[in-house]
Structures are given as C-alpha cells and as structure tokens.
Amino acid sequence: MEEKLNNESLQEHSTQGKEPNTATAVLYHVQKAARRGYIFAAVAFTTMFIIMGALLAHQMNINQRNNEKWIELFESYDYMSQDGEGVNNINMGAQGDIVNEPDVE
C-alpha cells in the first residue's frame, strides 16, 4: 500500500515540471472534442425530439378540427326526412327530394 502511494507521488512530481509531449496533448484534445461531441449530439437529439413532438401535437390538433368540421357538415345535411303522413323522403343531392309513394295509375 505504502509502495503504491510512493509510486503515485513520484509520478505526480515527475510530470509537474515537464511539458506534455505531443501524443499526450493530442489525446487530451481528442478526449475534449469527444466530450464536446457527445454533449452536442445529446442536445441535438433532444431538440429534434422536442420539435418532432410539437409538430405531431400540432398535426393531431389540425386533424381533430378537420374531423369536427366534417362531422358538422354531415350532420347539417338532411339525407332522409319523414313527413306527417309517414312518407319517407330521401334527399340524394342532384335529384332533389324523392317521395316514396305508391304510383297512382
């Protein structure tokens, strides 16, 4: 245990007065850039997912409003009605009202 502490203290003293060599400097900058790259990737993906979620929520809101408008339109149109005598009138649009009464000859 004591020997291990002595080795660590020797390494600290030997590296304090020296300039780092080129390989150590390159490795340091690569590690620093990699850390920065991971942080950038995390922020980019988080931002992308937030934007995609907002777009999905917006599209769902538009679809809901469109659905409500179609339902309102279909409910406002009178496809079939019945008069007081129990005769069904079917409105087919272009043909107008068709009265389902027996033909009188």
Side-chain angles (χ1 to χ4, degrees), residues 33-75:
R35 247 181 287 138
R36 221 179 295 144
Y38 289 135
I39 292 170
F40 175 76
V43 169
F45 280 116
T46 303
T47 304
M48 182 179 65
F49 285 127
I50 289 172
I51 290 171
M52 288 174 61
L55 288 173
L56 179 65
H58 178 68
Q59 186 63 42
M60 289 172 62
N61 188 20
I62 289 174
N63 288 344
Q64 179 65 31
R65 283 187 289 166
N66 188 30
N67 189 36
E68 289 170 1
K69 288 179 182 178
W70 276 108
I71 289 172
E72 182 182 331
L73 175 69
F74 287 137
E75 286 178 350

Tab-separated table of all heavy atoms in Angstrom, residues 33-75:
chain	number	residue	atom	x	y	z
A	33	ALA	N	-12.651	16.987	-27.389
A	33	ALA	CA	-13.540	17.114	-28.549
A	33	ALA	C	-14.622	16.031	-28.505
A	33	ALA	O	-15.776	16.286	-28.862
A	33	ALA	CB	-12.745	17.017	-29.843
A	34	ALA	N	-14.258	14.833	-28.073
A	34	ALA	CA	-15.242	13.752	-27.989
A	34	ALA	C	-16.313	14.098	-26.962
A	34	ALA	O	-17.509	13.885	-27.194
A	34	ALA	CB	-14.550	12.445	-27.624
A	35	ARG	N	-15.901	14.622	-25.815
A	35	ARG	CA	-16.874	15.042	-24.803
A	35	ARG	C	-17.801	16.119	-25.364
A	35	ARG	O	-19.010	16.078	-25.184
A	35	ARG	CB	-16.143	15.578	-23.570
A	35	ARG	CG	-16.325	14.712	-22.359
A	35	ARG	CD	-15.633	15.265	-21.154
A	35	ARG	NE	-14.185	15.076	-21.338
A	35	ARG	CZ	-13.252	15.971	-21.041
A	35	ARG	NH1	-13.590	17.116	-20.509
A	35	ARG	NH2	-11.992	15.728	-21.251
A	36	ARG	N	-17.214	17.081	-26.055
A	36	ARG	CA	-17.996	18.147	-26.661
A	36	ARG	C	-18.943	17.578	-27.718
A	36	ARG	O	-20.084	18.009	-27.844
A	36	ARG	CB	-17.064	19.181	-27.293
A	36	ARG	CG	-17.521	20.596	-27.064
A	36	ARG	CD	-16.595	21.621	-27.671
A	36	ARG	NE	-15.282	21.610	-27.041
A	36	ARG	CZ	-14.147	21.820	-27.684
A	36	ARG	NH1	-14.164	22.059	-28.970
A	36	ARG	NH2	-12.997	21.792	-27.055
A	37	GLY	N	-18.468	16.596	-28.473
A	37	GLY	CA	-19.287	15.951	-29.495
A	37	GLY	C	-20.465	15.206	-28.887
A	37	GLY	O	-21.580	15.256	-29.407
A	38	TYR	N	-20.236	14.501	-27.780
A	38	TYR	CA	-21.327	13.786	-27.115
A	38	TYR	C	-22.371	14.760	-26.579
A	38	TYR	O	-23.571	14.527	-26.686
A	38	TYR	CB	-20.803	12.924	-25.965
A	38	TYR	CG	-20.024	11.720	-26.418
A	38	TYR	CD1	-18.820	11.387	-25.802
A	38	TYR	CD2	-20.468	10.907	-27.452
A	38	TYR	CE1	-18.096	10.283	-26.211
A	38	TYR	CE2	-19.757	9.807	-27.876
A	38	TYR	CZ	-18.567	9.496	-27.239
A	38	TYR	OH	-17.859	8.410	-27.643
A	39	ILE	N	-21.905	15.846	-26.014
A	39	ILE	CA	-22.836	16.853	-25.492
A	39	ILE	C	-23.630	17.462	-26.635
A	39	ILE	O	-24.853	17.614	-26.545
A	39	ILE	CB	-22.073	17.934	-24.694
A	39	ILE	CG1	-21.502	17.330	-23.409
A	39	ILE	CG2	-22.980	19.115	-24.375
A	39	ILE	CD1	-20.548	18.237	-22.668
A	40	PHE	N	-22.961	17.787	-27.741
A	40	PHE	CA	-23.659	18.348	-28.899
A	40	PHE	C	-24.687	17.371	-29.444
A	40	PHE	O	-25.810	17.762	-29.774
A	40	PHE	CB	-22.654	18.721	-29.999
A	40	PHE	CG	-23.302	19.181	-31.256
A	40	PHE	CD1	-23.846	20.453	-31.353
A	40	PHE	CD2	-23.410	18.335	-32.359
A	40	PHE	CE1	-24.467	20.885	-32.508
A	40	PHE	CE2	-24.026	18.746	-33.518
A	40	PHE	CZ	-24.555	20.028	-33.605
A	41	ALA	N	-24.312	16.086	-29.554
A	41	ALA	CA	-25.244	15.079	-30.070
A	41	ALA	C	-26.457	14.940	-29.150
A	41	ALA	O	-27.595	14.850	-29.624
A	41	ALA	CB	-24.537	13.741	-30.224
A	42	ALA	N	-26.237	14.943	-27.849
A	42	ALA	CA	-27.347	14.825	-26.906
A	42	ALA	C	-28.294	16.017	-27.023
A	42	ALA	O	-29.523	15.854	-27.055
A	42	ALA	CB	-26.809	14.704	-25.478
A	43	VAL	N	-27.738	17.207	-27.110
A	43	VAL	CA	-28.570	18.408	-27.245
A	43	VAL	C	-29.303	18.401	-28.582
A	43	VAL	O	-30.498	18.728	-28.649
A	43	VAL	CB	-27.705	19.687	-27.094
A	43	VAL	CG1	-28.480	20.925	-27.482
A	43	VAL	CG2	-27.186	19.803	-25.668
A	44	ALA	N	-28.628	17.993	-29.647
A	44	ALA	CA	-29.254	17.966	-30.972
A	44	ALA	C	-30.417	16.972	-31.016
A	44	ALA	O	-31.499	17.293	-31.521
A	44	ALA	CB	-28.215	17.624	-32.037
A	45	PHE	N	-30.201	15.758	-30.486
A	45	PHE	CA	-31.279	14.762	-30.492
A	45	PHE	C	-32.435	15.186	-29.606
A	45	PHE	O	-33.603	15.002	-29.959
A	45	PHE	CB	-30.746	13.390	-30.061
A	45	PHE	CG	-30.042	12.663	-31.164
A	45	PHE	CD1	-28.700	12.367	-31.063
A	45	PHE	CD2	-30.719	12.284	-32.318
A	45	PHE	CE1	-28.038	11.696	-32.076
A	45	PHE	CE2	-30.069	11.614	-33.346
A	45	PHE	CZ	-28.725	11.321	-33.221
A	46	THR	N	-32.142	15.774	-28.455
A	46	THR	CA	-33.212	16.247	-27.572
A	46	THR	C	-34.025	17.338	-28.260
A	46	THR	O	-35.262	17.300	-28.233
A	46	THR	CB	-32.610	16.775	-26.256
A	46	THR	OG1	-31.838	15.744	-25.647
A	46	THR	CG2	-33.700	17.222	-25.309
A	47	THR	N	-33.348	18.268	-28.898
A	47	THR	CA	-34.047	19.334	-29.619
A	47	THR	C	-34.882	18.761	-30.756
A	47	THR	O	-36.031	19.163	-30.958
A	47	THR	CB	-33.022	20.344	-30.179
A	47	THR	OG1	-32.230	20.835	-29.100
A	47	THR	CG2	-33.720	21.494	-30.875
A	48	MET	N	-34.323	17.794	-31.483
A	48	MET	CA	-35.050	17.179	-32.594
A	48	MET	C	-36.311	16.477	-32.098
A	48	MET	O	-37.388	16.623	-32.685
A	48	MET	CB	-34.148	16.180	-33.317
A	48	MET	CG	-34.790	15.532	-34.523
A	48	MET	SD	-33.701	14.386	-35.369
A	48	MET	CE	-33.495	13.129	-34.126
A	49	PHE	N	-36.215	15.739	-30.996
A	49	PHE	CA	-37.386	15.041	-30.465
A	49	PHE	C	-38.441	16.018	-29.953
A	49	PHE	O	-39.640	15.785	-30.112
A	49	PHE	CB	-36.983	14.057	-29.371
A	49	PHE	CG	-36.329	12.822	-29.908
A	49	PHE	CD1	-35.101	12.416	-29.428
A	49	PHE	CD2	-36.916	12.074	-30.916
A	49	PHE	CE1	-34.482	11.287	-29.922
A	49	PHE	CE2	-36.309	10.935	-31.428
A	49	PHE	CZ	-35.083	10.546	-30.924
A	50	ILE	N	-38.019	17.123	-29.363
A	50	ILE	CA	-38.979	18.132	-28.898
A	50	ILE	C	-39.707	18.748	-30.094
A	50	ILE	O	-40.933	18.913	-30.075
A	50	ILE	CB	-38.263	19.214	-28.055
A	50	ILE	CG1	-37.839	18.620	-26.713
A	50	ILE	CG2	-39.151	20.432	-27.852
A	50	ILE	CD1	-36.957	19.531	-25.895
A	51	ILE	N	-38.970	19.077	-31.145
A	51	ILE	CA	-39.591	19.663	-32.339
A	51	ILE	C	-40.539	18.663	-32.993
A	51	ILE	O	-41.659	19.018	-33.387
A	51	ILE	CB	-38.508	20.137	-33.334
A	51	ILE	CG1	-37.782	21.358	-32.761
A	51	ILE	CG2	-39.113	20.468	-34.695
A	51	ILE	CD1	-36.570	21.783	-33.552
A	52	MET	N	-40.123	17.403	-33.097
A	52	MET	CA	-40.994	16.392	-33.695
A	52	MET	C	-42.258	16.187	-32.857
A	52	MET	O	-43.350	16.021	-33.404
A	52	MET	CB	-40.231	15.066	-33.839
A	52	MET	CG	-39.184	15.107	-34.930
A	52	MET	SD	-38.148	13.626	-35.000
A	52	MET	CE	-39.358	12.371	-35.336
A	53	GLY	N	-42.138	16.210	-31.543
A	53	GLY	CA	-43.303	16.089	-30.674
A	53	GLY	C	-44.254	17.257	-30.845
A	53	GLY	O	-45.475	17.079	-30.876
A	54	ALA	N	-43.700	18.464	-30.953
A	54	ALA	CA	-44.539	19.650	-31.151
A	54	ALA	C	-45.258	19.579	-32.497
A	54	ALA	O	-46.447	19.912	-32.593
A	54	ALA	CB	-43.691	20.916	-31.065
A	55	LEU	N	-44.553	19.152	-33.545
A	55	LEU	CA	-45.191	19.013	-34.862
A	55	LEU	C	-46.282	17.946	-34.845
A	55	LEU	O	-47.344	18.126	-35.451
A	55	LEU	CB	-44.150	18.686	-35.930
A	55	LEU	CG	-43.208	19.825	-36.312
A	55	LEU	CD1	-42.119	19.313	-37.245
A	55	LEU	CD2	-43.971	20.963	-36.948
A	56	LEU	N	-46.040	16.845	-34.156
A	56	LEU	CA	-47.049	15.791	-34.048
A	56	LEU	C	-48.279	16.290	-33.309
A	56	LEU	O	-49.411	16.046	-33.740
A	56	LEU	CB	-46.465	14.568	-33.338
A	56	LEU	CG	-47.415	13.399	-33.139
A	56	LEU	CD1	-47.829	12.824	-34.487
A	56	LEU	CD2	-46.767	12.338	-32.271
A	57	ALA	N	-48.082	17.012	-32.212
A	57	ALA	CA	-49.214	17.567	-31.465
A	57	ALA	C	-49.990	18.565	-32.321
A	57	ALA	O	-51.227	18.571	-32.306
A	57	ALA	CB	-48.718	18.230	-30.183
A	58	HIS	N	-49.271	19.391	-33.078
A	58	HIS	CA	-49.929	20.362	-33.953
A	58	HIS	C	-50.756	19.657	-35.032
A	58	HIS	O	-51.893	20.031	-35.306
A	58	HIS	CB	-48.872	21.268	-34.591
A	58	HIS	CG	-49.422	22.274	-35.537
A	58	HIS	ND1	-50.206	23.331	-35.133
A	58	HIS	CD2	-49.320	22.377	-36.885
A	58	HIS	CE1	-50.557	24.037	-36.197
A	58	HIS	NE2	-50.028	23.477	-37.276
A	59	GLN	N	-50.181	18.613	-35.642
A	59	GLN	CA	-50.894	17.870	-36.686
A	59	GLN	C	-52.121	17.172	-36.120
A	59	GLN	O	-53.176	17.133	-36.760
A	59	GLN	CB	-49.961	16.844	-37.336
A	59	GLN	CG	-50.571	16.141	-38.523
A	59	GLN	CD	-50.900	17.091	-39.654
A	59	GLN	OE1	-50.111	17.971	-39.963
A	59	GLN	NE2	-52.047	16.932	-40.255
A	60	MET	N	-52.020	16.631	-34.911
A	60	MET	CA	-53.169	15.983	-34.279
A	60	MET	C	-54.272	17.001	-34.006
A	60	MET	O	-55.464	16.702	-34.172
A	60	MET	CB	-52.746	15.286	-32.993
A	60	MET	CG	-51.907	14.046	-33.246
A	60	MET	SD	-51.199	13.315	-31.766
A	60	MET	CE	-52.660	12.881	-30.858
A	61	ASN	N	-53.899	18.218	-33.612
A	61	ASN	CA	-54.872	19.270	-33.365
A	61	ASN	C	-55.575	19.668	-34.663
A	61	ASN	O	-56.795	19.839	-34.697
A	61	ASN	CB	-54.176	20.474	-32.733
A	61	ASN	CG	-55.152	21.528	-32.277
A	61	ASN	OD1	-56.329	21.256	-32.084
A	61	ASN	ND2	-54.665	22.741	-32.111
A	62	ILE	N	-54.813	19.796	-35.751
A	62	ILE	CA	-55.409	20.132	-37.048
A	62	ILE	C	-56.354	19.028	-37.503
A	62	ILE	O	-57.461	19.299	-37.995
A	62	ILE	CB	-54.296	20.373	-38.096
A	62	ILE	CG1	-53.583	21.686	-37.797
A	62	ILE	CG2	-54.870	20.402	-39.505
A	62	ILE	CD1	-52.386	21.931	-38.671
A	63	ASN	N	-55.943	17.761	-37.346
A	63	ASN	CA	-56.804	16.646	-37.738
A	63	ASN	C	-58.097	16.629	-36.935
A	63	ASN	O	-59.167	16.350	-37.481
A	63	ASN	CB	-56.072	15.315	-37.576
A	63	ASN	CG	-54.996	15.118	-38.611
A	63	ASN	OD1	-54.964	15.811	-39.627
A	63	ASN	ND2	-54.108	14.186	-38.363
A	64	GLN	N	-58.021	16.929	-35.650
A	64	GLN	CA	-59.217	16.952	-34.807
A	64	GLN	C	-60.179	18.051	-35.263
A	64	GLN	O	-61.387	17.828	-35.363
A	64	GLN	CB	-58.821	17.156	-33.336
A	64	GLN	CG	-59.989	17.209	-32.393
A	64	GLN	CD	-60.754	15.902	-32.330
A	64	GLN	OE1	-60.183	14.839	-32.504
A	64	GLN	NE2	-62.041	15.990	-32.106
A	65	ARG	N	-59.636	19.241	-35.540
A	65	ARG	CA	-60.504	20.335	-36.011
A	65	ARG	C	-61.117	20.002	-37.370
A	65	ARG	O	-62.292	20.294	-37.614
A	65	ARG	CB	-59.713	21.642	-36.095
A	65	ARG	CG	-59.493	22.268	-34.719
A	65	ARG	CD	-58.883	23.623	-34.839
A	65	ARG	NE	-57.495	23.431	-35.274
A	65	ARG	CZ	-56.723	24.380	-35.739
A	65	ARG	NH1	-57.181	25.590	-35.869
A	65	ARG	NH2	-55.488	24.132	-36.084
A	66	ASN	N	-60.347	19.391	-38.262
A	66	ASN	CA	-60.861	18.992	-39.566
A	66	ASN	C	-61.972	17.957	-39.399
A	66	ASN	O	-63.009	18.031	-40.074
A	66	ASN	CB	-59.724	18.424	-40.414
A	66	ASN	CG	-60.133	18.174	-41.836
A	66	ASN	OD1	-61.003	18.857	-42.369
A	66	ASN	ND2	-59.516	17.191	-42.451
A	67	ASN	N	-61.781	17.002	-38.520
A	67	ASN	CA	-62.788	15.981	-38.255
A	67	ASN	C	-64.073	16.613	-37.719
A	67	ASN	O	-65.182	16.248	-38.132
A	67	ASN	CB	-62.234	14.954	-37.264
A	67	ASN	CG	-63.132	13.760	-37.122
A	67	ASN	OD1	-63.752	13.327	-38.092
A	67	ASN	ND2	-63.196	13.209	-35.920
A	68	GLU	N	-63.936	17.569	-36.806
A	68	GLU	CA	-65.120	18.247	-36.256
A	68	GLU	C	-65.885	19.000	-37.348
A	68	GLU	O	-67.117	18.993	-37.366
A	68	GLU	CB	-64.705	19.204	-35.142
A	68	GLU	CG	-64.245	18.510	-33.881
A	68	GLU	CD	-63.620	19.459	-32.881
A	68	GLU	OE1	-63.550	20.686	-33.152
A	68	GLU	OE2	-63.195	18.975	-31.817
A	69	LYS	N	-65.162	19.639	-38.259
A	69	LYS	CA	-65.826	20.368	-39.349
A	69	LYS	C	-66.575	19.414	-40.272
A	69	LYS	O	-67.688	19.713	-40.708
A	69	LYS	CB	-64.810	21.188	-40.141
A	69	LYS	CG	-64.305	22.395	-39.381
A	69	LYS	CD	-63.272	23.169	-40.189
A	69	LYS	CE	-62.737	24.341	-39.388
A	69	LYS	NZ	-61.713	25.078	-40.110
A	70	TRP	N	-65.977	18.255	-40.601
A	70	TRP	CA	-66.663	17.289	-41.457
A	70	TRP	C	-67.903	16.728	-40.768
A	70	TRP	O	-68.957	16.571	-41.401
A	70	TRP	CB	-65.722	16.148	-41.840
A	70	TRP	CG	-64.861	16.473	-43.011
A	70	TRP	CD1	-63.530	16.729	-42.998
A	70	TRP	CD2	-65.280	16.587	-44.371
A	70	TRP	NE1	-63.084	17.002	-44.260
A	70	TRP	CE2	-64.135	16.915	-45.131
A	70	TRP	CE3	-66.492	16.457	-45.021
A	70	TRP	CZ2	-64.187	17.106	-46.505
A	70	TRP	CZ3	-66.529	16.640	-46.403
A	70	TRP	CH2	-65.393	16.959	-47.114
A	71	ILE	N	-67.789	16.419	-39.488
A	71	ILE	CA	-68.950	15.904	-38.749
A	71	ILE	C	-70.060	16.947	-38.733
A	71	ILE	O	-71.234	16.626	-38.947
A	71	ILE	CB	-68.537	15.488	-37.327
A	71	ILE	CG1	-67.683	14.230	-37.382
A	71	ILE	CG2	-69.767	15.255	-36.446
A	71	ILE	CD1	-67.068	13.837	-36.054
A	72	GLU	N	-69.712	18.194	-38.505
A	72	GLU	CA	-70.711	19.273	-38.505
A	72	GLU	C	-71.374	19.390	-39.879
A	72	GLU	O	-72.595	19.554	-39.982
A	72	GLU	CB	-70.029	20.592	-38.131
A	72	GLU	CG	-70.963	21.774	-38.059
A	72	GLU	CD	-70.220	23.056	-37.733
A	72	GLU	OE1	-69.179	22.987	-37.056
A	72	GLU	OE2	-70.690	24.127	-38.167
A	73	LEU	N	-70.594	19.275	-40.936
A	73	LEU	CA	-71.148	19.357	-42.286
A	73	LEU	C	-72.101	18.200	-42.560
A	73	LEU	O	-73.213	18.405	-43.056
A	73	LEU	CB	-70.023	19.357	-43.324
A	73	LEU	CG	-70.474	19.319	-44.788
A	73	LEU	CD1	-71.150	20.638	-45.168
A	73	LEU	CD2	-69.301	19.041	-45.697
A	74	PHE	N	-71.687	16.980	-42.225
A	74	PHE	CA	-72.541	15.824	-42.490
A	74	PHE	C	-73.806	15.841	-41.639
A	74	PHE	O	-74.862	15.404	-42.089
A	74	PHE	CB	-71.771	14.519	-42.259
A	74	PHE	CG	-70.768	14.227	-43.333
A	74	PHE	CD1	-69.506	13.758	-43.018
A	74	PHE	CD2	-71.073	14.406	-44.675
A	74	PHE	CE1	-68.572	13.482	-44.003
A	74	PHE	CE2	-70.160	14.143	-45.675
A	74	PHE	CZ	-68.904	13.675	-45.333
A	75	GLU	N	-73.710	16.334	-40.414
A	75	GLU	CA	-74.895	16.389	-39.560
A	75	GLU	C	-75.861	17.478	-40.001
A	75	GLU	O	-77.054	17.395	-39.724
A	75	GLU	CB	-74.487	16.603	-38.105
A	75	GLU	CG	-73.889	15.372	-37.471
A	75	GLU	CD	-73.435	15.607	-36.038
A	75	GLU	OE1	-73.415	16.775	-35.596
A	75	GLU	OE2	-73.099	14.621	-35.371
